[in-house]
Amino acid sequence: MNDILHKLPEFIGNHVALAALFVILLVALIATLVMDLFSKTKELTPAGLTLLINRETPLLIDLSSIADFEKMHVPGAKHVAMSQFDPEKKELAKTKDMPVVVMDKDGRGNSIKAAQRLVKAGFEKVYTLGGGVLAWHAAQLPVAKGNK
């Protein structure tokens, strides 16, 4: 170990670009971990969502397009168009104490924005489904079809 520490300055001197890239990647990794730690929303895996459904009966909101929702959605999910999504609505405001899981087709866009809006509106247990409904389906979990 002592030998490695003596050769490290020489290695860094000979490979400045590689050492700089390592430092940049390390800082980016630490920043991402810190942001996740302090985030008010949590990303669930399909298995994590299954556990949450079995333990707490969360409100499931699917922001996929209506066509995608009718093709496949998580059983029990309610379809809401992103243009109609309003965390301040009376019906939704009643559920502030419940866990709320927001999802979309692939977990990349609308669900994250909607989750942030829910947190701003005072919801405390806000989750997103990582990878969206496609990840749920890929995990070979049951899907519902149609508009209910």
PDB file of all heavy atoms in Angstrom, residues 37-62:
ATOM      1  N   LEU A  37     -30.276  12.003  -1.673  1.00  0.00           N
ATOM      2  CA  LEU A  37     -30.472  11.902  -0.234  1.00  0.00           C
ATOM      3  C   LEU A  37     -31.428  12.972   0.285  1.00  0.00           C
ATOM      4  O   LEU A  37     -32.253  12.717   1.150  1.00  0.00           O
ATOM      5  CB  LEU A  37     -29.114  12.009   0.478  1.00  0.00           C
ATOM      6  CG  LEU A  37     -29.097  11.804   1.971  1.00  0.00           C
ATOM      7  CD1 LEU A  37     -29.538  10.376   2.309  1.00  0.00           C
ATOM      8  CD2 LEU A  37     -27.714  12.055   2.525  1.00  0.00           C
ATOM      9  N   PHE A  38     -31.340  14.167  -0.271  1.00  0.00           N
ATOM     10  CA  PHE A  38     -32.166  15.275   0.200  1.00  0.00           C
ATOM     11  C   PHE A  38     -33.410  15.515  -0.641  1.00  0.00           C
ATOM     12  O   PHE A  38     -34.185  16.423  -0.364  1.00  0.00           O
ATOM     13  CB  PHE A  38     -31.336  16.567   0.272  1.00  0.00           C
ATOM     14  CG  PHE A  38     -30.300  16.513   1.356  1.00  0.00           C
ATOM     15  CD1 PHE A  38     -28.959  16.370   1.046  1.00  0.00           C
ATOM     16  CD2 PHE A  38     -30.672  16.588   2.681  1.00  0.00           C
ATOM     17  CE1 PHE A  38     -28.001  16.311   2.042  1.00  0.00           C
ATOM     18  CE2 PHE A  38     -29.725  16.534   3.689  1.00  0.00           C
ATOM     19  CZ  PHE A  38     -28.389  16.395   3.375  1.00  0.00           C
ATOM     20  N   SER A  39     -33.629  14.702  -1.646  1.00  0.00           N
ATOM     21  CA  SER A  39     -34.810  14.841  -2.492  1.00  0.00           C
ATOM     22  C   SER A  39     -36.065  14.476  -1.713  1.00  0.00           C
ATOM     23  O   SER A  39     -36.074  13.536  -0.921  1.00  0.00           O
ATOM     24  CB  SER A  39     -34.685  13.940  -3.715  1.00  0.00           C
ATOM     25  OG  SER A  39     -35.864  13.965  -4.468  1.00  0.00           O
ATOM     26  N   LYS A  40     -37.125  15.198  -1.936  1.00  0.00           N
ATOM     27  CA  LYS A  40     -38.387  14.923  -1.250  1.00  0.00           C
ATOM     28  C   LYS A  40     -39.202  13.862  -1.987  1.00  0.00           C
ATOM     29  O   LYS A  40     -40.195  13.392  -1.472  1.00  0.00           O
ATOM     30  CB  LYS A  40     -39.196  16.202  -1.116  1.00  0.00           C
ATOM     31  CG  LYS A  40     -38.459  17.244  -0.303  1.00  0.00           C
ATOM     32  CD  LYS A  40     -39.383  18.064   0.495  1.00  0.00           C
ATOM     33  CE  LYS A  40     -38.568  19.129   1.185  1.00  0.00           C
ATOM     34  NZ  LYS A  40     -38.865  19.270   2.548  1.00  0.00           N
ATOM     35  N   THR A  41     -38.785  13.503  -3.183  1.00  0.00           N
ATOM     36  CA  THR A  41     -39.448  12.420  -3.907  1.00  0.00           C
ATOM     37  C   THR A  41     -38.481  11.247  -3.984  1.00  0.00           C
ATOM     38  O   THR A  41     -37.272  11.427  -4.016  1.00  0.00           O
ATOM     39  CB  THR A  41     -39.848  12.841  -5.333  1.00  0.00           C
ATOM     40  OG1 THR A  41     -38.669  13.131  -6.088  1.00  0.00           O
ATOM     41  CG2 THR A  41     -40.756  14.047  -5.327  1.00  0.00           C
ATOM     42  N   LYS A  42     -39.037  10.081  -4.000  1.00  0.00           N
ATOM     43  CA  LYS A  42     -38.225   8.872  -4.087  1.00  0.00           C
ATOM     44  C   LYS A  42     -38.634   8.087  -5.322  1.00  0.00           C
ATOM     45  O   LYS A  42     -39.810   8.030  -5.663  1.00  0.00           O
ATOM     46  CB  LYS A  42     -38.413   7.990  -2.851  1.00  0.00           C
ATOM     47  CG  LYS A  42     -38.052   8.664  -1.550  1.00  0.00           C
ATOM     48  CD  LYS A  42     -36.587   8.958  -1.457  1.00  0.00           C
ATOM     49  CE  LYS A  42     -36.262   9.640  -0.138  1.00  0.00           C
ATOM     50  NZ  LYS A  42     -35.117  10.460  -0.183  1.00  0.00           N
ATOM     51  N   GLU A  43     -37.656   7.491  -5.969  1.00  0.00           N
ATOM     52  CA  GLU A  43     -37.938   6.663  -7.133  1.00  0.00           C
ATOM     53  C   GLU A  43     -38.068   5.213  -6.673  1.00  0.00           C
ATOM     54  O   GLU A  43     -37.233   4.714  -5.942  1.00  0.00           O
ATOM     55  CB  GLU A  43     -36.817   6.796  -8.163  1.00  0.00           C
ATOM     56  CG  GLU A  43     -37.072   6.003  -9.420  1.00  0.00           C
ATOM     57  CD  GLU A  43     -35.993   6.223 -10.462  1.00  0.00           C
ATOM     58  OE1 GLU A  43     -36.063   7.235 -11.174  1.00  0.00           O
ATOM     59  OE2 GLU A  43     -35.080   5.378 -10.525  1.00  0.00           O
ATOM     60  N   LEU A  44     -39.136   4.575  -7.109  1.00  0.00           N
ATOM     61  CA  LEU A  44     -39.378   3.176  -6.774  1.00  0.00           C
ATOM     62  C   LEU A  44     -39.063   2.280  -7.956  1.00  0.00           C
ATOM     63  O   LEU A  44     -39.306   2.646  -9.100  1.00  0.00           O
ATOM     64  CB  LEU A  44     -40.845   2.967  -6.398  1.00  0.00           C
ATOM     65  CG  LEU A  44     -41.362   3.657  -5.147  1.00  0.00           C
ATOM     66  CD1 LEU A  44     -42.866   3.469  -5.041  1.00  0.00           C
ATOM     67  CD2 LEU A  44     -40.672   3.125  -3.913  1.00  0.00           C
ATOM     68  N   THR A  45     -38.582   1.115  -7.657  1.00  0.00           N
ATOM     69  CA  THR A  45     -38.475   0.064  -8.671  1.00  0.00           C
ATOM     70  C   THR A  45     -39.843  -0.610  -8.740  1.00  0.00           C
ATOM     71  O   THR A  45     -40.672  -0.422  -7.844  1.00  0.00           O
ATOM     72  CB  THR A  45     -37.417  -0.980  -8.258  1.00  0.00           C
ATOM     73  OG1 THR A  45     -37.841  -1.590  -7.034  1.00  0.00           O
ATOM     74  CG2 THR A  45     -36.040  -0.357  -8.096  1.00  0.00           C
ATOM     75  N   PRO A  46     -40.089  -1.420  -9.753  1.00  0.00           N
ATOM     76  CA  PRO A  46     -41.352  -2.164  -9.769  1.00  0.00           C
ATOM     77  C   PRO A  46     -41.546  -3.020  -8.511  1.00  0.00           C
ATOM     78  O   PRO A  46     -42.639  -3.077  -7.958  1.00  0.00           O
ATOM     79  CB  PRO A  46     -41.248  -3.018 -11.034  1.00  0.00           C
ATOM     80  CG  PRO A  46     -40.405  -2.185 -11.955  1.00  0.00           C
ATOM     81  CD  PRO A  46     -39.382  -1.557 -11.035  1.00  0.00           C
ATOM     82  N   ALA A  47     -40.483  -3.636  -8.021  1.00  0.00           N
ATOM     83  CA  ALA A  47     -40.592  -4.433  -6.797  1.00  0.00           C
ATOM     84  C   ALA A  47     -40.912  -3.542  -5.597  1.00  0.00           C
ATOM     85  O   ALA A  47     -41.710  -3.907  -4.728  1.00  0.00           O
ATOM     86  CB  ALA A  47     -39.302  -5.209  -6.548  1.00  0.00           C
ATOM     87  N   GLY A  48     -40.303  -2.358  -5.553  1.00  0.00           N
ATOM     88  CA  GLY A  48     -40.586  -1.416  -4.471  1.00  0.00           C
ATOM     89  C   GLY A  48     -42.024  -0.936  -4.500  1.00  0.00           C
ATOM     90  O   GLY A  48     -42.661  -0.760  -3.448  1.00  0.00           O
ATOM     91  N   LEU A  49     -42.549  -0.723  -5.708  1.00  0.00           N
ATOM     92  CA  LEU A  49     -43.949  -0.313  -5.833  1.00  0.00           C
ATOM     93  C   LEU A  49     -44.871  -1.446  -5.376  1.00  0.00           C
ATOM     94  O   LEU A  49     -45.871  -1.197  -4.706  1.00  0.00           O
ATOM     95  CB  LEU A  49     -44.278   0.102  -7.262  1.00  0.00           C
ATOM     96  CG  LEU A  49     -45.732   0.487  -7.531  1.00  0.00           C
ATOM     97  CD1 LEU A  49     -46.216   1.579  -6.582  1.00  0.00           C
ATOM     98  CD2 LEU A  49     -45.913   0.918  -8.973  1.00  0.00           C
ATOM     99  N   THR A  50     -44.528  -2.665  -5.706  1.00  0.00           N
ATOM    100  CA  THR A  50     -45.325  -3.806  -5.263  1.00  0.00           C
ATOM    101  C   THR A  50     -45.383  -3.854  -3.737  1.00  0.00           C
ATOM    102  O   THR A  50     -46.446  -4.043  -3.149  1.00  0.00           O
ATOM    103  CB  THR A  50     -44.738  -5.124  -5.813  1.00  0.00           C
ATOM    104  OG1 THR A  50     -44.710  -5.049  -7.237  1.00  0.00           O
ATOM    105  CG2 THR A  50     -45.555  -6.318  -5.392  1.00  0.00           C
ATOM    106  N   LEU A  51     -44.256  -3.655  -3.093  1.00  0.00           N
ATOM    107  CA  LEU A  51     -44.231  -3.635  -1.619  1.00  0.00           C
ATOM    108  C   LEU A  51     -45.092  -2.505  -1.071  1.00  0.00           C
ATOM    109  O   LEU A  51     -45.844  -2.698  -0.113  1.00  0.00           O
ATOM    110  CB  LEU A  51     -42.795  -3.461  -1.116  1.00  0.00           C
ATOM    111  CG  LEU A  51     -41.904  -4.684  -1.162  1.00  0.00           C
ATOM    112  CD1 LEU A  51     -40.479  -4.319  -0.793  1.00  0.00           C
ATOM    113  CD2 LEU A  51     -42.425  -5.755  -0.225  1.00  0.00           C
ATOM    114  N   LEU A  52     -44.985  -1.332  -1.679  1.00  0.00           N
ATOM    115  CA  LEU A  52     -45.774  -0.188  -1.217  1.00  0.00           C
ATOM    116  C   LEU A  52     -47.272  -0.457  -1.392  1.00  0.00           C
ATOM    117  O   LEU A  52     -48.065  -0.157  -0.495  1.00  0.00           O
ATOM    118  CB  LEU A  52     -45.370   1.081  -1.982  1.00  0.00           C
ATOM    119  CG  LEU A  52     -46.028   2.371  -1.521  1.00  0.00           C
ATOM    120  CD1 LEU A  52     -45.592   2.727  -0.104  1.00  0.00           C
ATOM    121  CD2 LEU A  52     -45.686   3.503  -2.474  1.00  0.00           C
ATOM    122  N   ILE A  53     -47.650  -1.041  -2.510  1.00  0.00           N
ATOM    123  CA  ILE A  53     -49.065  -1.367  -2.753  1.00  0.00           C
ATOM    124  C   ILE A  53     -49.561  -2.353  -1.700  1.00  0.00           C
ATOM    125  O   ILE A  53     -50.658  -2.214  -1.174  1.00  0.00           O
ATOM    126  CB  ILE A  53     -49.262  -1.926  -4.182  1.00  0.00           C
ATOM    127  CG1 ILE A  53     -49.067  -0.814  -5.215  1.00  0.00           C
ATOM    128  CG2 ILE A  53     -50.631  -2.567  -4.339  1.00  0.00           C
ATOM    129  CD1 ILE A  53     -48.997  -1.298  -6.657  1.00  0.00           C
ATOM    130  N   ASN A  54     -48.742  -3.334  -1.383  1.00  0.00           N
ATOM    131  CA  ASN A  54     -49.154  -4.347  -0.407  1.00  0.00           C
ATOM    132  C   ASN A  54     -49.207  -3.811   1.021  1.00  0.00           C
ATOM    133  O   ASN A  54     -49.969  -4.312   1.837  1.00  0.00           O
ATOM    134  CB  ASN A  54     -48.218  -5.553  -0.475  1.00  0.00           C
ATOM    135  CG  ASN A  54     -48.401  -6.352  -1.740  1.00  0.00           C
ATOM    136  OD1 ASN A  54     -49.460  -6.342  -2.342  1.00  0.00           O
ATOM    137  ND2 ASN A  54     -47.352  -7.042  -2.157  1.00  0.00           N
ATOM    138  N   ARG A  55     -48.410  -2.797   1.325  1.00  0.00           N
ATOM    139  CA  ARG A  55     -48.338  -2.294   2.695  1.00  0.00           C
ATOM    140  C   ARG A  55     -49.226  -1.089   2.969  1.00  0.00           C
ATOM    141  O   ARG A  55     -49.781  -0.961   4.050  1.00  0.00           O
ATOM    142  CB  ARG A  55     -46.896  -1.921   3.031  1.00  0.00           C
ATOM    143  CG  ARG A  55     -45.989  -3.109   3.136  1.00  0.00           C
ATOM    144  CD  ARG A  55     -44.608  -2.698   3.513  1.00  0.00           C
ATOM    145  NE  ARG A  55     -43.749  -3.869   3.590  1.00  0.00           N
ATOM    146  CZ  ARG A  55     -42.442  -3.819   3.620  1.00  0.00           C
ATOM    147  NH1 ARG A  55     -41.828  -2.654   3.584  1.00  0.00           N
ATOM    148  NH2 ARG A  55     -41.735  -4.923   3.693  1.00  0.00           N
ATOM    149  N   GLU A  56     -49.325  -0.170   2.008  1.00  0.00           N
ATOM    150  CA  GLU A  56     -49.960   1.111   2.323  1.00  0.00           C
ATOM    151  C   GLU A  56     -51.094   1.542   1.402  1.00  0.00           C
ATOM    152  O   GLU A  56     -51.692   2.571   1.631  1.00  0.00           O
ATOM    153  CB  GLU A  56     -48.900   2.224   2.340  1.00  0.00           C
ATOM    154  CG  GLU A  56     -47.838   2.034   3.397  1.00  0.00           C
ATOM    155  CD  GLU A  56     -46.965   3.251   3.530  1.00  0.00           C
ATOM    156  OE1 GLU A  56     -47.506   4.364   3.657  1.00  0.00           O
ATOM    157  OE2 GLU A  56     -45.737   3.090   3.493  1.00  0.00           O
ATOM    158  N   THR A  57     -51.376   0.854   0.350  1.00  0.00           N
ATOM    159  CA  THR A  57     -52.420   1.217  -0.600  1.00  0.00           C
ATOM    160  C   THR A  57     -52.271   2.674  -1.079  1.00  0.00           C
ATOM    161  O   THR A  57     -53.052   3.543  -0.714  1.00  0.00           O
ATOM    162  CB  THR A  57     -53.831   1.005  -0.002  1.00  0.00           C
ATOM    163  OG1 THR A  57     -53.881  -0.238   0.663  1.00  0.00           O
ATOM    164  CG2 THR A  57     -54.875   1.048  -1.107  1.00  0.00           C
ATOM    165  N   PRO A  58     -51.253   2.946  -1.893  1.00  0.00           N
ATOM    166  CA  PRO A  58     -51.037   4.309  -2.365  1.00  0.00           C
ATOM    167  C   PRO A  58     -52.005   4.714  -3.475  1.00  0.00           C
ATOM    168  O   PRO A  58     -52.648   3.864  -4.096  1.00  0.00           O
ATOM    169  CB  PRO A  58     -49.614   4.256  -2.922  1.00  0.00           C
ATOM    170  CG  PRO A  58     -49.487   2.852  -3.413  1.00  0.00           C
ATOM    171  CD  PRO A  58     -50.267   2.022  -2.422  1.00  0.00           C
ATOM    172  N   LEU A  59     -52.090   6.004  -3.714  1.00  0.00           N
ATOM    173  CA  LEU A  59     -52.812   6.534  -4.859  1.00  0.00           C
ATOM    174  C   LEU A  59     -51.870   6.434  -6.049  1.00  0.00           C
ATOM    175  O   LEU A  59     -50.737   6.925  -5.992  1.00  0.00           O
ATOM    176  CB  LEU A  59     -53.210   7.991  -4.614  1.00  0.00           C
ATOM    177  CG  LEU A  59     -53.845   8.733  -5.782  1.00  0.00           C
ATOM    178  CD1 LEU A  59     -55.154   8.065  -6.189  1.00  0.00           C
ATOM    179  CD2 LEU A  59     -54.080  10.186  -5.416  1.00  0.00           C
ATOM    180  N   LEU A  60     -52.304   5.768  -7.108  1.00  0.00           N
ATOM    181  CA  LEU A  60     -51.487   5.578  -8.302  1.00  0.00           C
ATOM    182  C   LEU A  60     -52.002   6.484  -9.408  1.00  0.00           C
ATOM    183  O   LEU A  60     -53.155   6.359  -9.822  1.00  0.00           O
ATOM    184  CB  LEU A  60     -51.539   4.116  -8.755  1.00  0.00           C
ATOM    185  CG  LEU A  60     -51.146   3.065  -7.719  1.00  0.00           C
ATOM    186  CD1 LEU A  60     -51.378   1.666  -8.268  1.00  0.00           C
ATOM    187  CD2 LEU A  60     -49.708   3.239  -7.290  1.00  0.00           C
ATOM    188  N   ILE A  61     -51.161   7.371  -9.891  1.00  0.00           N
ATOM    189  CA  ILE A  61     -51.535   8.315 -10.946  1.00  0.00           C
ATOM    190  C   ILE A  61     -50.677   8.042 -12.169  1.00  0.00           C
ATOM    191  O   ILE A  61     -49.452   8.103 -12.101  1.00  0.00           O
ATOM    192  CB  ILE A  61     -51.355   9.769 -10.484  1.00  0.00           C
ATOM    193  CG1 ILE A  61     -52.222  10.048  -9.261  1.00  0.00           C
ATOM    194  CG2 ILE A  61     -51.678  10.737 -11.625  1.00  0.00           C
ATOM    195  CD1 ILE A  61     -52.004  11.410  -8.648  1.00  0.00           C
ATOM    196  N   ASP A  62     -51.322   7.751 -13.290  1.00  0.00           N
ATOM    197  CA  ASP A  62     -50.630   7.467 -14.542  1.00  0.00           C
ATOM    198  C   ASP A  62     -50.810   8.651 -15.481  1.00  0.00           C
ATOM    199  O   ASP A  62     -51.928   8.998 -15.851  1.00  0.00           O
ATOM    200  CB  ASP A  62     -51.182   6.192 -15.174  1.00  0.00           C
ATOM    201  CG  ASP A  62     -50.320   5.683 -16.315  1.00  0.00           C
ATOM    202  OD1 ASP A  62     -49.707   6.503 -17.027  1.00  0.00           O
ATOM    203  OD2 ASP A  62     -50.277   4.456 -16.505  1.00  0.00           O
TER     204      ASP A  62
END
